[in-house]
Amino acid sequence: MGGTAGSGGDAGGAHDEALARIGAAERELAELADVVRTALARTRVELARARAAVEELGAPDAPEGARLVALDLVVRGVERQRAERELRAAFPGVDAAGLLARTVAEQGR
């Protein structure tokens, strides 16, 4: 009987220890969740400020931007059809084929 009572005491101690570890893990998780919520709120504020700053700058001149992208595509030797697709996707309404042809001619390629 003495062994049974001792085993029961050991089991009770292990049980209490496990519950204590679970409680500590739950507290740590709650603290981490608070840190994440705070960081998320701070990041949202920073993103809103960055968005506002970019919007204040206004949209870039699409034709100039398209010319720069076309130049980059030509200099890198990107295949013509792929270059046209990329230009059309980035600058809807731009004559991608014509812009690439002019860029190639200007670069002597």
Side-chain angles (χ1 to χ4, degrees), residues 33-49:
D34 288 341
V35 168
V36 169
R37 277 191 288 276
T38 300
L40 180 61
R42 189 177 321 119
T43 301
R44 284 184 174 144
V45 168
E46 290 172 11
L47 285 172
R49 287 180 183 154

Side-chain angles (χ1 to χ4, degrees), residues 1-16:
M1 279 197 175
T4 306
S7 297
D10 289 344
H15 179 263
D16 291 344

Side-chain angles (χ1 to χ4, degrees), residues 4-97:
T4 306
S7 297
D10 289 344
H15 179 263
D16 291 344
E17 185 179 321
L19 287 176
R21 279 189 270 154
I22 290 170
E26 288 173 333
R27 286 188 297 280
E28 184 179 355
L29 181 61
E31 290 172 11
L32 289 172
D34 288 341
V35 168
V36 169
R37 277 191 288 276
T38 300
L40 180 61
R42 189 177 321 119
T43 301
R44 284 184 174 144
V45 168
E46 290 172 11
L47 285 172
R49 287 180 183 154
R51 181 179 304 279
V54 168
E55 288 174 357
E56 280 183 33
L57 295 174
D61 182 14
E64 181 63 26
R67 283 192 291 274
L68 290 172
V69 171
L71 177 60
D72 176 62
L73 293 167
V74 168
V75 168
R76 288 189 296 131
V78 173
E79 189 265 328
R80 177 59 78 78
Q81 288 179 338
R82 178 177 165 208
E84 286 182 24
R85 281 194 309 271
E86 288 186 26
L87 275 173
R88 281 192 204 103
F91 302 96
V94 169
D95 175 17

